[in-house]
């Protein structure tokens, strides 16, 4: 039985003590992760800010360089990804820029950007498995490969439908050695690549390389897709802009006959 | 200068007296537009509920029949609309059902579902113009047509890129006479059609017919796209479901080669 | 090694044989699930159309009535749900109607509309369990309850944070008997309610009732959230409309001080 | 009359010659704006890549620094913006990370991120006005101010509901002088600030400063909101992550009573 007092409490407007530890907002003062924003602006790079927001601390100089390279590598893959196609479809339908970007992001489903998180999860769990059981990284790679193969699943982060050698992956690995960011997760990924090359002629792709490097930088696998989005939004924006300014909209190329019996500016479905 | 007291007030958690006149929520009691929900359930139809929510009152029996027909007419147009293509792209990328539906809705831009609102606005302003200036409806139609033509714009709600006679429009008009819902806005739309048929062989399309009928039912033009969405969401859901259960995903048909060099379950971009 | 021919094939524009069995589109002819649309318009109700789109066949008269009641029951729950709050936040930020509706739908996450699908899944798997193991429905209910309790999970579809007796649930059950739509899934749900009332004083909520009834009507649990969205979009539209026309925007109530030092029409963050 | 041949053509699957000048995709080769991606990775910064994608060319060293600072300045404003609130609501409802980010972006409506585009448009049109009519920048500022005031509109980019001196704006202006990026649009914005300080004690806010600087860097006003989103997505991701890992979800703080009569893990609406 609910008392009258409780009832009143339940449906009264209530105080909302919103709390966040990310940014403290006061009049004329904004403090993010402990730093006044006017001190961050002009003193740190955008990737340093991204690291600060997500990890709570500033990266080392080498980590910053690595993150810079990772974010650049996410930039664009032409009109082949469903996210780009969705954003362009919406742009050609006349939706606003923010709606087009949101729409593109909604297409980062399990089969699209999902691979990077799956790959991070596999590598992070692989390292735990290796430590807990005293396995070497090549033994761990072998076990992961067996597990996925026995369950009829592909190894996330390896193989690509357009590229048999994704040009971005080896470049990222090379840089990770230069920036001293090559550690156990990337080593495990290299072991996996070795086995997969031998057995199936398959190489690491961009997702696998970034999954390994982000894991070595200490990012939790649950932010993998989010970081991919951070890196890909500028590319989506470029596509939306291109679509909105071109004469022949993308959509027309997709599904329209040349010979329209009537109204062709305002379409009806 | 802000006093300390004001400062405190500005950044304290504050009470949020959310108010809505749509539904009153109390423990064990939900009252929508004045009616307890348990009395509405089983006693009114879904279109009656839609009318009640948007207009604040229940429709007459004839208005209910008209709205029923309008909502049915919005149902689906195969895979040609950008909204359906977007929703299917997302479904094939592995996004969740609600993300796919949201994505489809984001493609209802100006050039897609925009036509129904533009058409409603044109007809509603046309009727005001007619009354304010003592113009007959055929004079009004003539003025509207001149205005759009002189500004290089197509008349929203007329002509269709697939159909020279959209089969849904005349059926809706026929029903509006039967249900006694044919009034001034629809009459104005018929005048426009008469002029456009004569000049360009163009007929009213689904958007034009529904724009006229919804206007005659007293709906503000600003809810036109929203009502289209209400009627189209079930169709989008059917497409998402079909996409998620088919062997050959829509996306593969869009952009994938048959011969994938490696991994084909988890794709990378 | 990829041959030159394959390479060419991979990057050429390719034919897109889009197929759907939902609607066949031909000039001046639209055939949905086998019926010409102009014959459906005016002859079937909106819920019949929804059934036809999702299930592929028209419902019986009683099923139509049941679906009518279910869709009405989804209508609105005031400003308490995160979906409504999100849609209103966006409306007050000046986003377009379709963006607001899409945003509302994106808030139907696991903890919100997820319950209806979980409940449908539980009941549908419960019935299979019962048949496969020759269990009575009260034995099945007992097993389900033990399973959820032992795993520290709440039973989806039972209990409500605002209502100890959700007024919509018993009304829907009552109607299901009247419409001859009360079958094994609903019976199992009633058994669960019996056990939960006894043990914890918890009753079936709207999600539990609709999960049971939709399961008895043969809907796959994977469309549960989608059907909830179909029923809730009109309510979201009503809230967006209310928000866009009110003087005091919802957002202001949420987070704004009365005493704005300067510009208050165009806000900055 | 449509001939049979045309009919066939209209409804046959058709070739989709997708074209983009942003990235050329070939097997094992990705060329963005003329540069192979493996050469960009490790050699340019993320802001340089953003500039390359949107403007088609690499920025100068000073422009890169300016863009770096601008992107950092967009980072976060705590839980006050509707975009952050929406993203957190969705996170607490259990939506996926990409759905939460998309939802946040959908709240960048006219009244929220709209200010930056309006401000860019005003400044860019102001400079054209100034040149076309041989007006000095202070005369132009005067005319703009009169225009907005006479139309009952606030000047976009000036004044802030939390800050009477937005700490980010003067810092950005200071840097623009250091990086030699202070040009006519920023000068015009300073003139406007002078007039507004005098008349109403209002200062430039973050939107005004970035609008001026992005205009001086040659960005079209139509990408203003898009660039704000690029800079804000990392902050949204941080909030989503915080929300998903906190014990007490944001949503609960918004609308839930402490005393829930039953089920509190799975909620029902």
């Amino acid at each position: 039985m609910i008392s009258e007092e409780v009832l009143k409490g339940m449906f009264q407007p209530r105080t909302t003590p919103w709390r966040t530890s990310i940014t403290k907002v006061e009049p004329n003062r904004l403090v993010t992760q402990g730093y006044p924003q006017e001190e961050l602006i002009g003193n740190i790079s955008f990737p340093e800010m991204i690291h600060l927001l997500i990890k709570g601390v500033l990266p080392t100089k080498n980590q910053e360089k690595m993150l810079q390279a990772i974010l650049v590598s996410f930039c664009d893959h032409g009109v082949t990804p469903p996210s780009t196609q969705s954003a362009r479809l919406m742009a050609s339908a006349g939706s606003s820029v923010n709606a087009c970007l949101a729409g593109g992001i909604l297409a980062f489903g399990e089969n699209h950007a999902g691979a990077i998180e799956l790959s991070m999860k596999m590598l992070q769990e692989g390292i735990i498995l290796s430590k807990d059981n005293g396995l070497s990284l090549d033994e761990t790679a072998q076990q992961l490969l067996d597990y996925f193969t026995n369950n009829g699943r592909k190894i996330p982060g390896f193989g690509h439908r357009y590229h048999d050698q994704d040009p971005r992956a080896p470049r990222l690995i090379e840089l990770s050695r230069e920036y001293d960011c090559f550690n156990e997760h990337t080593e495990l990924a290299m072991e996996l690549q070795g086995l997969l090359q031998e057995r199936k002629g398959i190489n690491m792709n961009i997702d696998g390389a970034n999954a390994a490097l982000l894991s070595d930088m200490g990012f939790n696998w649950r932010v993998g897709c989010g970081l991919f989005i951070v890196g890909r939004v500028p590319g989506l924006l470029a596509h939306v802009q291109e679509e909105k300014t071109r004469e022949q909209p993308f959509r027309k190329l997709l599904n329209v006959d040349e010979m329209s019996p009537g109204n062709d500016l305002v379409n009806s479905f």
Side-chain angles (χ1 to χ4, degrees), chain A:
Chain A
M1 183 57 202
I2 306 179
S3 73
E4 202 185 318
E5 199 166 294
V6 170
L7 278 187
K8 263 192 216 151
M10 279 174 75
F11 294 95
Q12 262 188 349
R14 76 198 64 247
T15 327
T16 57
W18 293 335
R19 279 163 309 186
T20 175
S21 64
I22 299 167
T23 299
K24 201 174 160 194
V25 180
E26 287 173 4
N28 304 336
R29 190 167 163 81
L30 292 163
V31 180
T32 293
Q33 307 283 29
Y35 301 90
Q37 285 193 9
E38 66 273 25
E39 291 178 20
L40 294 172
I41 299 170
N43 284 318
I44 65 168
S45 68
F46 186 37
E48 282 178 300
M49 181 48 117
I50 294 167
H51 194 280
L52 180 62
L53 284 164
I54 308 298
K55 298 275 304 283
V57 293
L58 286 166
T60 66
K61 212 61 207 163
N62 269 333
Q63 286 173 330
E64 182 206 357
K65 284 184 195 162
M66 194 70 247
L67 190 55
Q68 199 86 262
I70 289 170
L71 290 166
V72 167
S73 80
F74 283 136
C75 64
D76 190 43
H77 200 278
V79 290
T80 68
S83 49
T84 310
Q85 292 172 1
S86 296
R88 293 191 77 129
L89 271 169
M90 289 167 191
S92 69
S95 295
S96 60
V97 173
N98 66 331
C100 297
L101 295 179
I105 288 172
L106 289 176
F108 286 99
E110 257 177 57
N111 307 331
H112 183 350
I116 192 169
E117 286 196 3
L118 282 178
S119 190
M120 285 173 84
K121 190 166 186 278
M122 173 186 72
L123 295 170
Q124 293 178 14
E125 291 180 354
I127 292 302
I128 292 167
L129 181 82
S130 150
K131 289 186 177 158
D132 285 357
N133 298 279
L135 298 174
S136 67
L137 291 182
D138 65 325
E139 287 166 335
T140 307
Q142 189 61 61
Q143 288 210 0
L144 288 174
L145 193 53
D146 290 348
Y147 174 82
F148 278 80
T149 309
N150 295 340
N151 288 280
R153 295 170 56 195
K154 305 287 172 133
I155 314 287
F158 294 85
H160 198 288
R161 47 195 194 119
Y162 286 107
H163 314 293
D164 61 0
Q165 175 58 68
D166 186 328
R168 301 163 291 182
R171 175 64 177 145
L172 286 163
I173 298 297
E174 177 190 30
L175 288 167
S176 74
R177 298 190 198 267
E178 190 181 325
Y179 301 151
D180 209 12
C181 288
F182 184 103
N183 277 304
E184 53 192 6
H185 297 92
T186 312
E187 209 178 320
L188 176 56
M190 295 302 282
E191 293 287 349
L192 277 164
Q193 179 174 250
L195 293 171
L196 283 161
Q197 280 174 333
E198 204 179 286
R199 292 197 196 171
K200 307 190 181 181
I202 293 175
N203 291 301
M204 198 186 296
N205 62 35
I206 175 90
D207 290 328
N210 281 326
L213 298 169
L214 289 168
S215 296
D216 272 345
M217 290 176 72
F219 286 97
N220 186 291
W221 64 267
R222 288 171 212 276
V223 297
C225 178
L227 288 170
F228 184 173
I229 290 170
V230 168
R232 184 56 65 87
V233 164
L236 288 176
L237 177 58
H239 280 282
V240 168
Q241 187 190 217
E242 188 184 50
E243 184 63 39
K244 281 185 172 279
T245 51
R246 66 160 50 177
E247 303 245 328
Q248 171 78 314
F250 178 75
R251 186 164 55 83
K252 294 254 165 153
L253 301 175
L254 269 173
N255 63 10
V256 178
D257 55 284
E258 258 57 58
M259 188 262 129
S260 163
N263 195 328
D264 54 52
L265 258 191
V266 176
N267 296 306
S268 172
F269 305 88

